[in-house]
Amino acid sequence: MTTETVFDQKIYFNDKDLSYLKKNRDPVVKWILFAFASIATVFVFLIIIFLFINGAPFFIVVPLNDFFFGTNWLPGAGDYGALPIIVDTLLVTLGAIIIALPLGILTAIFIAELAPPLLRKVLKFVIEILAGIPSIVYGFFGVIILNTWLKDIFGMHDGKSWLSGSLILAIMALPTIVSVCEDAIRAVPDYYRQASYAIGATKWQTIRKVVIPAGMSGITAAMILGIGRAMGETMAMTLVLGNKFRLPDPLANMLSQVAVITSTIASTWGPTVEGSLEQRSLLALAIVLFLMTLIVNTLSNIILTRVQRKFTGQKPKEKYSKLKNIKMSQFFIKYKQWILTAIISIIILLILPDYISKLIGAIFCIGLSIVYYIYKIVPKQRKILVIYSVLLSFLGWVLSTWIGIFLAVSISCLIFVSLIFLKRISTVIQQRIWFIIIYGSSAFAVFAVGILIYYIVVTGLPVFLEPGFLTGVPSNSGREGGIFPAIIGTLQLTGGSILFALPLGMFAGIYLSEYAKDNKITRFIRAGIDNLNGTPSIVFGLFGVVFFLLFLGLPRSLLVGIFTLGLMILPTIIRTTEESVKAIPKSFREGSLALGSSKWQGIGKIVVPAAIPGIVTGAVLGMGRSAGETAPIMFTAVRSHSTYITLSVLNPVMALTYHLFRLSNEVTGGLERAAGTALTLLLLVLILYSFAFIIRIRYEKRKKW
């Protein structure tokens, strides 16, 4: 029998004890990691529970019908009709996606397939950096530049409008869409292209008929990410929309001032009384927003699964296998589309408040069903004509509010004829035309993002270079002095959030990569992480209020801001850790096991150290996002003005993002100082993101597997 001492204490283990500990260490570690991975899902449920607990009493006082279909939002007068706000949210998001998605896909095609190697690397690096620009910086650009342009071009009062919001959201979503689409296109194996060239296809035919379909999973993911980014944006929309609680008149009038859910919450939460019906109405809006993003995330998972199944040759599971022999079931299966259409139409007729809206809703529902039926029955080569017809009809409807029905119909018909003509000309001319369109779209996308950076630098540099701006304290409500307390507060929030989120995210990512099996529990955990990742930042802010401030009784402070930001960046760290660990070759694990190591020893001493650069990259990306967020901390952690540095975690702090928001929106004459603050924030976040990408590049050069 052998004995060993532990830390020189008189604690002895025999061979049997040591063997038992070694044998049972891995299951213990597995359950610990499982607990960390479950935390994200737990917080998803906590968000749902606490939002519903605090928001549901509103619906006891205000009927659902009045809330969802009322057209007047005047809480002070007791009117809580949220229909204009919900519809405006969908319209602004739709406008942004219509602008950003084609530009993003075409720019991604240029970078992945047409650009020279050196230019491709430069553009890819720049676009990934631009994806980290804080949303408040985009909002500031909208206030000082975009709204001014729209005001001068269209003769508007101040330029705030649905069009301004959609344009800003499109510019914001563009780097993300381009980056994800480019990754998807580059991931298509080269032999796909070579096989296409071998049978005589042109480069454009190969891109359109081989590369894009093969990368459709990633392109679809980019579209969903763009929708989620647009739907959940808060601070930029608060600055550029005008926040008028009304429907556009007419509905396609993009020059109308509107208000989305996020801007409504951000602009009206502050003055509300705790526990009042007005405050609960804002929580009800947050519930609606959370459910909307939940639906988007769920649909994205379904779409991605179907797309991947289609392009990998997997057969879908047979549906209705147990019911196919029952006559009644056969009837429902055969006519399920029309039965669902009838049910939805009846629901619309029952819940909508007036006859006109009932008629319009029913016609719209039936019309969509008819279009879908036509799309299913027409031959495959004619399906594109149905898509063209629907899209151009929508375009004509939008243009009719700007230039009249006759010109709108004429332009739509001209575009339709041009698209048909384009399909009938020679493939060489088709390629030249499409390449011109791709080059032009890429140049426009780069110009749109580049001009934002240019104006931020030009307007902010004189203030940024002033002596004492970076080292002094603010005075006269921020119109004078420096921003040193805001810089330190931002670093405190950023550093604290990463210290909170990094251990949880690392252990959860390791569990999902190394221990999790493909079962219902694992899928449930992944769904929780995905939904947490897609939750709008303003919802995190409200959760921080109702959970940490109201339920736990913590004061508005640095600590609450750290917890709220940490929850927000947790999914990013989990995902980057999981992917980094998965990227380590399986041979590393096999070699460790062959030398007698346990599974956890191999993971802890071989796999994780090899994945450290990727984990560090995720941590730095999380820090960049923490530094650039406003909505999660504006109600939980920040103060508007401070002449000293906060050292206690139980006191509020200044932050660059909130300081910029106040100077842009609330402080008269604060735009000059706001420009310097925007440049400072931009440089801070871009430095963090650049650091992350430099780590990744050096790691890719050094790795030998």
Side-chain angles (χ1 to χ4, degrees):
M1 178 185 295
T2 62
T3 61
E4 294 183 10
T5 62
V6 181
F7 303 116
D8 295 326
Q9 298 179 10
K10 301 299 182 179
I11 300 176
Y12 298 96
F13 296 98
N14 56 31
D15 291 336
K16 184 177 180 181
D17 294 331
L18 291 173
S19 176
Y20 178 82
L21 290 174
K22 184 174 181 180
K23 180 180 179 181
N24 290 274
R25 179 167 46 195
D26 274 356
V28 174
V29 170
K30 178 181 177 180
W31 282 108
I32 293 174
L33 295 178
F34 172 77
F36 281 107
S38 302
I39 288 177
T41 304
V42 170
F43 274 107
V44 169
F45 280 99
L46 285 179
I47 290 174
I48 295 173
I49 291 169
F50 279 90
L51 284 181
F52 273 86
I53 287 176
N54 290 272
F58 169 79
F59 295 110
I60 299 175
V61 180
V62 179
L64 286 173
N65 189 57
D66 293 346
F67 179 74
F68 284 105
F69 300 105
T71 56
N72 293 319
W73 181 267
L74 295 170
D79 292 329
Y80 295 97
L83 181 64
I85 301 173
I86 297 172
V87 172
D88 290 346
T89 301
L90 297 175
L91 290 176
V92 173
T93 302
L94 178 64
I97 293 302
I98 289 174
I99 297 169
L101 192 60
L103 282 177
I105 293 175
L106 293 174
T107 304
I109 291 173
F110 170 75
I111 295 173
E113 298 292 325
L114 303 178
L118 180 60
L119 180 60
R120 178 188 303 128
K121 291 181 179 179
V122 172
L123 288 177
K124 178 67 172 174
F125 177 77
V126 171
I127 285 171
E128 290 186 341
I129 294 293
L130 292 177
I133 296 178
S135 60
I136 190 65
V137 175
Y138 286 100
F140 175 71
F141 170 78
V143 169
I144 64 170
I145 303 299
L146 183 58
N147 283 357
T148 303
W149 289 352
L150 295 177
K151 173 185 174 182
D152 295 338
I153 293 172
F154 296 104
M156 303 168 63
H157 172 64
D158 55 9
K160 294 182 177 181
S161 60
W162 166 15
L163 178 61
S164 177
S166 290
L167 288 172
I168 287 294
L169 285 180
I171 297 173
M172 287 177 58
L174 198 56
T176 301
I177 292 175
V178 171
S179 181
V180 176
C181 286
E182 195 271 344
D183 287 339
I185 293 171
R186 293 282 296 170
V188 176
D190 281 338
Y191 59 79
Y192 281 33
R193 300 172 179 85
Q194 295 166 2
S196 177
Y197 296 146
I199 61 175
T202 63
K203 189 174 186 66
W204 170 243
Q205 286 176 319
T206 300
I207 293 172
R208 183 169 67 90
K209 296 185 177 182
V210 177
V211 176
I212 291 179
M216 187 56 68
S217 174
I219 294 172
T220 305
M223 180 182 70
I224 300 299
L225 286 173
I227 292 174
R229 177 80 188 268
M231 189 177 292
E233 176 50 41
T234 303
M235 307 317 299
M237 296 299 95
T238 305
L239 293 176
V240 304
L241 284 179
N243 295 318
K244 301 295 184 182
F245 308 122
R246 63 190 182 194
L247 291 169
D249 185 22
L251 192 60
N253 182 11
M254 298 187 72
L255 300 181
S256 299
Q257 292 190 353
V258 296
V260 296
I261 294 176
T262 52
S263 66
T264 301
I265 296 172
S267 60
T268 58
W269 178 272
T272 59
V273 178
E274 181 181 329
S276 64
L277 188 63
E278 184 176 354
Q279 189 181 83
R280 294 188 186 280
S281 70
L282 299 178
L283 289 170
L285 285 176
I287 292 172
V288 173
L289 179 62
F290 182 79
L291 292 177
M292 289 168 65
T293 56
L294 190 65
I295 291 171
V296 169
N297 290 332
T298 303
L299 289 177
S300 69
N301 290 330
I302 294 173
I303 292 171
L304 287 175
T305 301
R306 291 189 176 185
V307 170
Q308 289 172 351
R309 184 186 295 147
K310 177 179 178 181
F311 290 105
T312 56
Q314 299 178 12
K315 293 184 178 180
K317 295 180 180 179
E318 187 179 358
K319 297 181 179 180
Y320 317 114
S321 57
K322 296 181 179 179
L323 303 175
K324 61 183 180 180
N325 295 323
I326 303 175
K327 291 184 178 181
M328 185 61 69
S329 299
Q330 291 176 349
F331 175 80
F332 279 106
I333 293 170
K334 184 176 181 180
Y335 298 104
K336 61 180 179 179
Q337 177 186 339
W338 302 111
I339 294 172
L340 288 175
T341 302
I343 293 173
I344 295 173
S345 300
I346 291 171
I347 294 174
I348 289 173
L349 292 174
L350 290 175
I351 63 177
L352 289 182
D354 56 79
Y355 290 108
I356 295 177
S357 58
K358 291 177 187 288
L359 181 62
I360 293 174
I363 292 175
F364 181 74
C365 179
I366 295 171
L368 283 179
S369 185
I370 292 173
V371 170
Y372 180 67
Y373 178 74
I374 294 173
Y375 179 81
K376 287 199 306 182
I377 63 174
V378 297
K380 186 176 181 180
Q381 62 272 22
R382 303 292 182 187
K383 290 184 184 294
I384 190 66
L385 298 179
V386 178
I387 297 175
Y388 286 164
S389 300
V390 173
L391 294 178
L392 291 175
S393 298
F394 176 77
L395 176 64
W397 172 63
V398 173
L399 292 178
S400 65
T401 64
W402 296 51
I403 58 178
I405 295 178
F406 178 76
L407 284 177
V409 173
S410 300
I411 291 174
S412 298
C413 291
L414 180 62
I415 295 174
F416 184 82
V417 172
S418 300
L419 291 172
I420 300 301
F421 175 74
L422 188 61
K423 292 179 67 66
R424 297 183 180 277
I425 60 178
S426 68
T427 55
V428 176
I429 298 177
Q430 277 188 38
Q431 176 169 289
R432 290 176 181 175
I433 293 174
W434 277 109
F435 280 4
I436 291 172
I437 294 173
I438 290 172
Y439 286 126
S441 299
S442 304
F444 181 79
V446 172
F447 171 78
V449 179
I451 203 165
L452 180 147
I453 303 296
Y454 170 78
Y455 273 102
I456 295 295
V457 172
V458 167
T459 56
L461 194 60
V463 178
F464 182 81
L465 296 177
E466 282 185 11
F469 178 71
L470 297 180
T471 57
V473 297
S475 60
N476 193 15
S477 297
R479 298 181 185 90
E480 300 172 358
I483 57 171
F484 185 66
I487 295 175
I488 298 301
T490 300
L491 294 177
Q492 288 174 317
L493 287 165
T494 302
S497 64
I498 203 65
L499 288 176
F500 169 67
L502 184 59
L504 296 178
M506 276 187 59
F507 291 136
I510 292 170
Y511 171 79
L512 292 173
S513 175
E514 298 297 311
Y515 288 98
K517 297 179 180 179
D518 187 16
N519 53 33
K520 291 183 179 180
I521 295 177
T522 302
R523 289 194 290 271
F524 188 69
I525 291 174
R526 290 187 187 278
I529 294 170
D530 290 341
N531 286 310
L532 197 65
N533 193 34
T535 301
S537 58
I538 190 68
V539 175
F540 281 105
L542 294 185
F543 173 72
V545 171
V546 299
F547 183 68
F548 295 114
L549 300 188
L550 302 181
F551 180 71
L552 297 182
L554 295 174
R556 179 171 177 162
S557 60
L558 171 63
L559 182 64
V560 175
I562 286 172
F563 287 153
T564 306
L565 288 174
L567 290 177
M568 186 188 66
I569 65 174
L570 183 59
T572 300
I573 296 174
I574 292 174
R575 282 302 188 199
T576 53
T577 300
E578 181 184 0
E579 295 303 322
S580 299
V581 173
K582 277 184 178 179
I584 305 303
K586 190 176 180 180
S587 57
F588 282 37
R589 300 165 178 82
E590 294 171 344
S592 175
L593 293 174
L595 294 174
S597 299
S598 66
K599 184 173 183 177
W600 171 243
Q601 286 177 321
I603 293 170
K605 295 182 179 181
I606 304 296
V607 177
V608 173
I612 283 294
I615 297 172
V616 172
T617 298
V620 176
L621 291 176
M623 292 174 66
R625 188 178 178 193
S626 292
E629 283 291 347
T630 311
I633 60 174
M634 65 185 302
F635 305 131
T636 59
V638 295
R639 58 170 45 145
S640 59
H641 186 79
S642 178
T643 57
Y644 59 89
I645 297 172
T646 300
L647 298 179
S648 172
V649 294
L650 296 179
N651 289 329
V653 296
M654 283 191 71
L656 287 171
T657 51
Y658 187 65
H659 189 59
L660 174 57
F661 172 73
R662 287 188 63 254
L663 293 175
S664 303
N665 192 53
E666 300 175 359
V667 178
T668 304
L671 289 180
E672 182 180 348
R673 276 301 193 262
T677 306
L679 180 58
T680 306
L681 179 62
L682 182 65
L683 291 175
L684 174 63
V685 174
L686 292 186
I687 287 171
L688 288 173
Y689 275 80
S690 299
F691 182 64
F693 293 121
I694 289 171
I695 291 175
R696 188 181 71 182
I697 292 171
R698 293 189 62 181
Y699 169 67
E700 289 177 349
K701 289 182 178 179
R702 291 175 58 186
K703 74 177 184 180
K704 299 179 181 179
W705 61 86

